[in-house]
Amino acid sequence: MSTKLLFAAHLLLAGALAMPAAAETYKMTTPTAPGVATPNEVETSIGTLKLHDGVPTADTTKAIYDNLDRSRALQAYLLGLPIVNQVAMRNALREYGPVNTTDVIWETLVDSKTVELTANDNTVYSFVWLDTSKGPLVVEIPPKVLGAIDDMWYRWVADVGLTGEDRGEGGKYLILPPGYDGKVPDGYFVVRPSTYGNWMPFRSFLVDGSPKPGVDLVKRTLKVYQLGDAANPPEMKFANLSGIPSNFVPPGDYAFWELLDQAIQEEPPQGSDPTTLGLFASIGITKGKPFAPDARMKAILADAANIGAATARSIAYRMRDKAGYFYPDSAWRLPFFGGYKFESAPGVSNLDGAAFFYYLATGVTPAMAEKMVGEGSQYPWAALDANGNPFDGGKTYRLRLPPHVPAKDFWSVIVYDTQTRSMLQTDQQFPSVSSQDKSIKVNADGSVDIWFGPKAPAGMEHNWVQTIPGKGWFTILRLYGPLEPWFNKTWRPSEIELVSN
């Protein structure tokens, strides 16, 4: 039989199977191609779906819509991570003073009493929330700092300081509101975010081991004011949070949706994209409308939040895509999987890369993602040991840094709690080991061993980070001013090896 005849026979058979047994043949009847018709009963992962000649029954329709709402809510949760992260950050900063004129600063460094996604304890953080809803803002950036501006959707807008247009000399940045079409005066570095709300974190550095010179410089030179107030700018308020219990981490349960709605109501839709906003709208979060889910939808959203948090944690701690790792068969992970834009190809979002980062970290800038020899910073991190197992706080592990760590400025290793994604809270104020500490022991060959466990090995107190039995942890190796051997991979850290139970 010819190929054409075989195909025709196949179509006739498929059409016969797809049509009810009592179906008649009419003048215009043709065979139905395979896959077009749906059987009257279908076994699926959400149960048996029943239809009548292609029309779902009432019970099946209910099951389908529940599943549709649940699946859309899960995707909305993952896509909403950066926005919720930002609005939670803004809300926390508001507790310490008005936006624009308050610098939340950690004058003697961040310690583990601050619950903040993967913060460091090596530099002086300043967090400033910028709000352009009342018009253009001028920001006078201090010299010798390193920072960025991220919009409400947590996209990078600009760098400030050492990797910004002022190149560490300090300068005036003009932050314009979305859609601003007024006159732009000369003499400013102009920044055009797509949202009214923007987060500006920056870091100043220790001088001979002391944070004070950098703090004094920030307090003396940082200013934020409306463009029209240049002649008489308001005083900045500095809220020192060093040693003060505080929280900057958003909730992952049902309250997540309330924060998401808050952000959507405040910001122009042009700051996002139609598909993302459509997902949010499909679960009841739409700009200009109240968020008022009924009992059924509340239950679905609560369930989706729980699944979403577990999904984000799976991606964060057990990523399946090997392209997200620095080396083959290694636990060292890329912090920016898909670059600072989180793309798998130009214009194609890397969804797992974005979900991972926004669940564990803050601060998006090319200076932490792209190759900048001797500038910026790099952040390899690990949540699994050399055998691919999560770290157990009751066991002892060792990390070896080979000689000549490729960091022009300094390096550090900090341990974080797998629950809060913030510094592990133990007896140590700073759960870290750093080259800034001149008391760390260096091996005869120039390598450095770093120990993790409930107790320090004898004589290794300055090379040790305390962990807690029964509690998980992960770690980030920071390289400030990374050098060429890091980028060409001729230098690499060891895997973190289990030493004893």
Side-chain angles (χ1 to χ4, degrees):
M1 187 181 291
S2 70
T3 302
K4 288 184 178 180
L5 287 174
L6 279 171
F7 180 68
H10 180 67
L11 286 178
L12 286 169
L13 178 60
L17 290 174
M19 290 187 293
E24 297 183 26
T25 300
Y26 295 87
K27 290 181 179 179
M28 299 303 293
T29 299
T30 60
T32 303
V36 171
T38 299
N40 285 339
E41 195 166 288
V42 184
E43 296 298 330
T44 74
S45 61
I46 62 171
T48 302
L49 305 181
K50 296 182 178 181
L51 304 91
H52 178 70
D53 198 22
V55 180
T57 65
D59 288 344
T60 288
T61 299
K62 180 182 182 303
I64 287 294
Y65 276 125
D66 284 349
N67 183 65
L68 180 62
D69 289 340
R70 188 164 41 248
S71 62
R72 283 177 172 169
L74 173 58
Q75 293 308 314
Y77 186 99
L78 296 175
L79 289 175
L81 286 170
I83 314 158
V84 171
N85 206 334
Q86 279 291 62
V87 76
M89 172 70 71
R90 192 276 313 280
N91 291 353
L93 292 175
R94 278 177 172 171
E95 295 179 13
Y96 304 100
V99 299
N100 296 334
T101 56
T102 303
D103 178 8
V104 173
I105 186 171
W106 285 262
E107 295 186 17
T108 53
L109 308 180
V110 175
D111 64 24
S112 57
K113 287 187 177 181
T114 296
V115 180
E116 154 65 13
L117 297 177
T118 52
N120 78 59
D121 58 14
N122 310 116
T123 60
V124 177
Y125 276 124
S126 282
F127 287 0
V128 181
W129 192 264
L130 306 175
D131 185 343
T132 63
S133 60
K134 294 182 180 179
L137 285 177
V138 176
V139 179
E140 295 189 13
I141 289 292
K144 302 179 182 179
V145 302
L146 176 68
I149 298 174
D150 291 339
D151 70 11
M152 180 64 93
W153 305 93
Y154 233 131
R155 289 173 304 221
W156 176 75
V157 178
D159 275 0
V160 297
L162 293 169
T163 55
E165 291 189 78
D166 65 286
R167 306 307 296 171
E169 298 296 323
K172 295 181 179 181
Y173 287 76
L174 182 61
I175 320 299
L176 300 177
Y180 181 80
D181 59 1
K183 183 178 180 181
V184 178
D186 296 330
Y188 298 94
F189 302 119
V190 179
V191 180
R192 293 181 178 271
S194 59
T195 59
Y196 294 113
N198 299 274
W199 179 48
M200 183 178 70
F202 62 85
R203 293 170 285 179
S204 49
F205 297 90
L206 306 186
V207 179
D208 296 326
S210 172
K212 190 174 186 306
V215 171
D216 290 345
L217 189 58
V218 169
K219 288 187 171 183
R220 194 166 63 246
T221 59
L222 175 65
K223 291 183 176 63
V224 181
Y225 49 88
Q226 299 292 325
L227 180 60
D229 295 336
N232 187 29
E235 290 290 323
M236 291 294 297
K237 175 183 177 180
F238 294 91
N240 179 17
L241 260 59
S242 288
I244 306 297
S246 55
N247 177 69
F248 293 86
V249 177
D253 58 9
Y254 184 85
F256 178 97
W257 303 115
E258 294 165 338
L259 287 180
L260 177 60
D261 179 64
Q262 185 179 350
I264 294 301
Q265 300 308 326
E266 294 175 357
E267 294 293 346
Q270 292 81 2
S272 185
D273 64 88
T275 299
T276 298
L277 294 178
L279 269 175
F280 297 161
S282 74
I283 59 169
I285 296 176
T286 305
K287 186 174 180 65
K289 296 182 179 180
F291 175 48
D294 59 19
R296 181 193 76 92
M297 198 62 191
K298 274 188 177 180
I300 286 174
L301 290 174
D303 184 44
N306 292 332
I307 296 172
T311 301
R313 289 178 180 276
S314 297
I315 294 170
Y317 298 132
R318 294 180 178 272
M319 179 170 276
R320 62 186 176 181
D321 192 337
K322 292 302 180 184
Y325 295 79
F326 274 105
Y327 317 98
D329 302 319
S330 171
W332 288 106
R333 288 274 301 277
L334 293 160
F336 288 88
F337 180 29
Y340 74 93
K341 293 182 179 179
F342 306 106
E343 293 180 328
S344 56
V348 180
S349 295
N350 187 315
L351 297 177
D352 285 359
F356 149 67
F357 183 89
Y358 292 122
Y359 197 70
L360 258 70
T362 56
V364 177
T365 166
M368 296 194 297
E370 297 181 347
K371 181 177 180 178
M372 294 184 178
V373 177
E375 296 184 2
S377 44
Q378 289 286 300
Y379 297 82
W381 79 284
L384 303 173
D385 67 16
N387 297 316
N389 298 315
F391 296 117
D392 182 335
K395 299 178 181 180
T396 299
Y397 300 83
R398 184 189 67 186
L399 162 65
R400 175 162 290 175
L401 302 181
H404 312 298
V405 179
K408 178 175 68 69
D409 301 319
F410 63 92
W411 57 263
S412 77
V413 174
I414 302 177
V415 168
Y416 298 95
D417 185 326
T418 50
Q419 284 284 15
T420 66
R421 294 91 76 200
S422 304
M423 290 183 193
L424 189 64
Q425 295 179 334
T426 64
D427 293 330
Q428 293 177 316
Q429 181 181 9
F430 302 108
S432 63
V433 175
S434 171
S435 62
Q436 292 175 312
D437 180 359
K438 302 308 177 186
S439 300
I440 64 172
K441 290 192 174 181
V442 179
N443 299 324
D445 65 352
S447 64
V448 177
D449 288 335
I450 299 166
W451 299 84
F452 311 89
K455 295 182 180 179
M460 301 302 291
E461 288 78 7
H462 288 276
N463 292 50
W464 164 73
V465 184
Q466 184 180 13
T467 60
I468 303 171
K471 171 155 280 301
W473 58 272
F474 65 95
T475 189
I476 297 178
L477 165 63
R478 286 175 164 85
L479 304 173
Y480 289 93
L483 301 174
E484 185 61 38
W486 169 252
F487 294 107
N488 65 23
K489 299 184 180 181
T490 55
W491 183 95
R492 63 177 282 185
S494 77
E495 300 302 300
I496 302 176
E497 298 180 347
L498 176 64
V499 175
S500 66
N501 294 321

PDB file of all heavy atoms in Angstrom, residues 377-394:
ATOM      1  N   SER A 377      32.972  42.780  42.192  1.00  0.00           N
ATOM      2  CA  SER A 377      33.097  41.638  43.093  1.00  0.00           C
ATOM      3  C   SER A 377      32.491  40.400  42.439  1.00  0.00           C
ATOM      4  O   SER A 377      31.685  40.499  41.518  1.00  0.00           O
ATOM      5  CB  SER A 377      32.409  41.942  44.426  1.00  0.00           C
ATOM      6  OG  SER A 377      31.155  42.566  44.218  1.00  0.00           O
ATOM      7  N   GLN A 378      32.872  39.249  42.947  1.00  0.00           N
ATOM      8  CA  GLN A 378      32.346  37.972  42.485  1.00  0.00           C
ATOM      9  C   GLN A 378      31.882  37.176  43.701  1.00  0.00           C
ATOM     10  O   GLN A 378      32.456  37.282  44.783  1.00  0.00           O
ATOM     11  CB  GLN A 378      33.405  37.190  41.707  1.00  0.00           C
ATOM     12  CG  GLN A 378      33.727  37.786  40.345  1.00  0.00           C
ATOM     13  CD  GLN A 378      32.630  37.551  39.331  1.00  0.00           C
ATOM     14  OE1 GLN A 378      32.289  36.420  39.016  1.00  0.00           O
ATOM     15  NE2 GLN A 378      32.076  38.634  38.792  1.00  0.00           N
ATOM     16  N   TYR A 379      30.851  36.320  43.491  1.00  0.00           N
ATOM     17  CA  TYR A 379      30.167  35.697  44.610  1.00  0.00           C
ATOM     18  C   TYR A 379      29.881  34.209  44.382  1.00  0.00           C
ATOM     19  O   TYR A 379      28.719  33.799  44.387  1.00  0.00           O
ATOM     20  CB  TYR A 379      28.848  36.407  44.877  1.00  0.00           C
ATOM     21  CG  TYR A 379      28.991  37.849  45.278  1.00  0.00           C
ATOM     22  CD1 TYR A 379      29.174  38.838  44.317  1.00  0.00           C
ATOM     23  CD2 TYR A 379      28.941  38.234  46.607  1.00  0.00           C
ATOM     24  CE1 TYR A 379      29.306  40.167  44.675  1.00  0.00           C
ATOM     25  CE2 TYR A 379      29.073  39.559  46.983  1.00  0.00           C
ATOM     26  CZ  TYR A 379      29.253  40.522  46.013  1.00  0.00           C
ATOM     27  OH  TYR A 379      29.396  41.838  46.373  1.00  0.00           O
ATOM     28  N   PRO A 380      30.863  33.361  44.213  1.00  0.00           N
ATOM     29  CA  PRO A 380      30.547  31.927  44.161  1.00  0.00           C
ATOM     30  C   PRO A 380      29.953  31.477  45.495  1.00  0.00           C
ATOM     31  O   PRO A 380      30.368  31.949  46.559  1.00  0.00           O
ATOM     32  CB  PRO A 380      31.911  31.274  43.912  1.00  0.00           C
ATOM     33  CG  PRO A 380      32.913  32.270  44.399  1.00  0.00           C
ATOM     34  CD  PRO A 380      32.314  33.614  44.128  1.00  0.00           C
ATOM     35  N   TRP A 381      29.000  30.585  45.433  1.00  0.00           N
ATOM     36  CA  TRP A 381      28.373  30.137  46.668  1.00  0.00           C
ATOM     37  C   TRP A 381      28.078  28.648  46.583  1.00  0.00           C
ATOM     38  O   TRP A 381      28.047  28.070  45.494  1.00  0.00           O
ATOM     39  CB  TRP A 381      27.116  30.950  46.964  1.00  0.00           C
ATOM     40  CG  TRP A 381      25.917  30.543  46.167  1.00  0.00           C
ATOM     41  CD1 TRP A 381      25.667  30.825  44.857  1.00  0.00           C
ATOM     42  CD2 TRP A 381      24.833  29.747  46.641  1.00  0.00           C
ATOM     43  NE1 TRP A 381      24.482  30.279  44.488  1.00  0.00           N
ATOM     44  CE2 TRP A 381      23.943  29.610  45.554  1.00  0.00           C
ATOM     45  CE3 TRP A 381      24.516  29.162  47.867  1.00  0.00           C
ATOM     46  CZ2 TRP A 381      22.771  28.874  45.662  1.00  0.00           C
ATOM     47  CZ3 TRP A 381      23.344  28.448  47.981  1.00  0.00           C
ATOM     48  CH2 TRP A 381      22.482  28.311  46.879  1.00  0.00           C
ATOM     49  N   ALA A 382      27.903  28.018  47.741  1.00  0.00           N
ATOM     50  CA  ALA A 382      27.694  26.573  47.771  1.00  0.00           C
ATOM     51  C   ALA A 382      26.702  26.213  48.870  1.00  0.00           C
ATOM     52  O   ALA A 382      26.775  26.730  49.987  1.00  0.00           O
ATOM     53  CB  ALA A 382      29.013  25.847  48.010  1.00  0.00           C
ATOM     54  N   ALA A 383      25.765  25.313  48.525  1.00  0.00           N
ATOM     55  CA  ALA A 383      24.803  24.801  49.492  1.00  0.00           C
ATOM     56  C   ALA A 383      24.940  23.294  49.671  1.00  0.00           C
ATOM     57  O   ALA A 383      24.210  22.699  50.468  1.00  0.00           O
ATOM     58  CB  ALA A 383      23.378  25.126  49.044  1.00  0.00           C
ATOM     59  N   LEU A 384      25.880  22.669  48.942  1.00  0.00           N
ATOM     60  CA  LEU A 384      26.085  21.228  49.004  1.00  0.00           C
ATOM     61  C   LEU A 384      27.563  20.922  49.219  1.00  0.00           C
ATOM     62  O   LEU A 384      28.440  21.666  48.757  1.00  0.00           O
ATOM     63  CB  LEU A 384      25.613  20.563  47.711  1.00  0.00           C
ATOM     64  CG  LEU A 384      24.153  20.805  47.299  1.00  0.00           C
ATOM     65  CD1 LEU A 384      23.893  20.219  45.920  1.00  0.00           C
ATOM     66  CD2 LEU A 384      23.186  20.235  48.328  1.00  0.00           C
ATOM     67  N   ASP A 385      27.846  19.813  49.899  1.00  0.00           N
ATOM     68  CA  ASP A 385      29.240  19.453  50.144  1.00  0.00           C
ATOM     69  C   ASP A 385      29.827  18.710  48.945  1.00  0.00           C
ATOM     70  O   ASP A 385      29.179  18.580  47.895  1.00  0.00           O
ATOM     71  CB  ASP A 385      29.374  18.648  51.443  1.00  0.00           C
ATOM     72  CG  ASP A 385      28.722  17.262  51.374  1.00  0.00           C
ATOM     73  OD1 ASP A 385      28.417  16.781  50.257  1.00  0.00           O
ATOM     74  OD2 ASP A 385      28.522  16.654  52.447  1.00  0.00           O
ATOM     75  N   ALA A 386      31.057  18.229  49.116  1.00  0.00           N
ATOM     76  CA  ALA A 386      31.765  17.571  48.009  1.00  0.00           C
ATOM     77  C   ALA A 386      31.043  16.325  47.527  1.00  0.00           C
ATOM     78  O   ALA A 386      31.247  15.884  46.391  1.00  0.00           O
ATOM     79  CB  ALA A 386      33.187  17.224  48.446  1.00  0.00           C
ATOM     80  N   ASN A 387      30.186  15.748  48.373  1.00  0.00           N
ATOM     81  CA  ASN A 387      29.434  14.552  47.993  1.00  0.00           C
ATOM     82  C   ASN A 387      28.023  14.869  47.517  1.00  0.00           C
ATOM     83  O   ASN A 387      27.222  13.961  47.291  1.00  0.00           O
ATOM     84  CB  ASN A 387      29.374  13.591  49.190  1.00  0.00           C
ATOM     85  CG  ASN A 387      30.748  13.108  49.611  1.00  0.00           C
ATOM     86  OD1 ASN A 387      31.573  12.753  48.769  1.00  0.00           O
ATOM     87  ND2 ASN A 387      31.005  13.118  50.910  1.00  0.00           N
ATOM     88  N   GLY A 388      27.724  16.145  47.380  1.00  0.00           N
ATOM     89  CA  GLY A 388      26.416  16.540  46.890  1.00  0.00           C
ATOM     90  C   GLY A 388      25.325  16.547  47.939  1.00  0.00           C
ATOM     91  O   GLY A 388      24.140  16.578  47.598  1.00  0.00           O
ATOM     92  N   ASN A 389      25.703  16.557  49.217  1.00  0.00           N
ATOM     93  CA  ASN A 389      24.731  16.559  50.299  1.00  0.00           C
ATOM     94  C   ASN A 389      24.602  17.948  50.922  1.00  0.00           C
ATOM     95  O   ASN A 389      25.590  18.685  51.010  1.00  0.00           O
ATOM     96  CB  ASN A 389      25.156  15.568  51.389  1.00  0.00           C
ATOM     97  CG  ASN A 389      25.224  14.146  50.867  1.00  0.00           C
ATOM     98  OD1 ASN A 389      24.325  13.692  50.162  1.00  0.00           O
ATOM     99  ND2 ASN A 389      26.285  13.436  51.206  1.00  0.00           N
ATOM    100  N   PRO A 390      23.404  18.316  51.399  1.00  0.00           N
ATOM    101  CA  PRO A 390      23.271  19.586  52.109  1.00  0.00           C
ATOM    102  C   PRO A 390      24.135  19.602  53.363  1.00  0.00           C
ATOM    103  O   PRO A 390      24.394  18.552  53.973  1.00  0.00           O
ATOM    104  CB  PRO A 390      21.773  19.633  52.465  1.00  0.00           C
ATOM    105  CG  PRO A 390      21.116  18.689  51.528  1.00  0.00           C
ATOM    106  CD  PRO A 390      22.114  17.611  51.250  1.00  0.00           C
ATOM    107  N   PHE A 391      24.562  20.784  53.762  1.00  0.00           N
ATOM    108  CA  PHE A 391      25.412  20.900  54.939  1.00  0.00           C
ATOM    109  C   PHE A 391      24.602  20.649  56.211  1.00  0.00           C
ATOM    110  O   PHE A 391      23.483  21.137  56.364  1.00  0.00           O
ATOM    111  CB  PHE A 391      26.059  22.283  55.002  1.00  0.00           C
ATOM    112  CG  PHE A 391      26.991  22.554  53.857  1.00  0.00           C
ATOM    113  CD1 PHE A 391      26.714  23.581  52.960  1.00  0.00           C
ATOM    114  CD2 PHE A 391      28.117  21.788  53.665  1.00  0.00           C
ATOM    115  CE1 PHE A 391      27.562  23.835  51.898  1.00  0.00           C
ATOM    116  CE2 PHE A 391      28.979  22.037  52.600  1.00  0.00           C
ATOM    117  CZ  PHE A 391      28.699  23.067  51.713  1.00  0.00           C
ATOM    118  N   ASP A 392      25.204  19.908  57.122  1.00  0.00           N
ATOM    119  CA  ASP A 392      24.611  19.563  58.405  1.00  0.00           C
ATOM    120  C   ASP A 392      25.354  20.332  59.486  1.00  0.00           C
ATOM    121  O   ASP A 392      26.562  20.155  59.672  1.00  0.00           O
ATOM    122  CB  ASP A 392      24.744  18.051  58.631  1.00  0.00           C
ATOM    123  CG  ASP A 392      24.104  17.575  59.930  1.00  0.00           C
ATOM    124  OD1 ASP A 392      23.967  18.378  60.869  1.00  0.00           O
ATOM    125  OD2 ASP A 392      23.745  16.384  60.005  1.00  0.00           O
ATOM    126  N   GLY A 393      24.643  21.196  60.211  1.00  0.00           N
ATOM    127  CA  GLY A 393      25.286  22.032  61.212  1.00  0.00           C
ATOM    128  C   GLY A 393      25.925  21.285  62.356  1.00  0.00           C
ATOM    129  O   GLY A 393      26.713  21.862  63.121  1.00  0.00           O
ATOM    130  N   GLY A 394      25.620  20.005  62.508  1.00  0.00           N
ATOM    131  CA  GLY A 394      26.233  19.220  63.569  1.00  0.00           C
ATOM    132  C   GLY A 394      27.529  18.558  63.157  1.00  0.00           C
ATOM    133  O   GLY A 394      28.194  17.911  63.986  1.00  0.00           O
TER     134      GLY A 394
END
